[in-house]
Amino acid sequence: MSIQAKNVIAQQLLDKLHEVEFPFEARNFGEILCIGVSVQDFAQAFHLGTLLGLSYGRVAHDKIGSQRILIFQDALVDITSD
């Protein structure tokens, strides 16, 4: 299974995350599928922000157990089978 960008923001974010070697996954945000990035704490979230900059749209924060997730709401994706 792989993640495929549905818009320019998603493609640019995928390229940048690959470049800085930061792991990501597809995450549901309401009824849409977006790029999600798990971070250990807020310090790591701020570090990611310095690596990425501000050009990837709105970002939401979610927490599942002890896992914190940044969800890039405007980076729309699909999951495809290889």
Side-chain angles (χ1 to χ4, degrees), residues 12-71:
Q12 291 172 344
L13 181 56
L14 289 171
D15 292 344
K16 186 66 174 183
L17 288 168
H18 283 296
E19 179 185 319
V20 298
E21 298 179 352
F22 216 97
F24 59 88
E25 57 195 353
R27 284 285 183 167
N28 286 319
F29 186 75
E31 297 181 15
I32 58 175
L33 199 56
C34 311
I35 296 174
V37 178
S38 295
V39 293
Q40 296 173 357
D41 51 32
F42 287 113
Q44 189 178 32
F46 287 123
H47 175 66
L48 178 62
T50 62
L51 292 174
L52 296 180
L54 301 173
S55 59
Y56 301 105
R58 298 170 293 161
V59 180
H61 175 262
D62 196 6
K63 184 176 178 186
I64 300 173
S66 63
Q67 182 183 28
R68 298 177 194 278
I69 304 152
L70 301 176
I71 300 171

Side-chain angles (χ1 to χ4, degrees), residues 1-15 17-18 24-27 32-36 72-82:
M1 303 271 260
S2 63
I3 297 174
Q4 182 171 349
K6 288 178 65 174
N7 61 16
V8 173
I9 291 173
Q11 188 59 59
Q12 291 172 344
L13 181 56
L14 289 171
D15 292 344
L17 288 168
H18 283 296
F24 59 88
E25 57 195 353
R27 284 285 183 167
I32 58 175
L33 199 56
C34 311
I35 296 174
F72 293 83
Q73 301 170 357
D74 298 324
L76 306 178
V77 295
D78 274 332
I79 296 177
T80 61
S81 58
D82 293 335

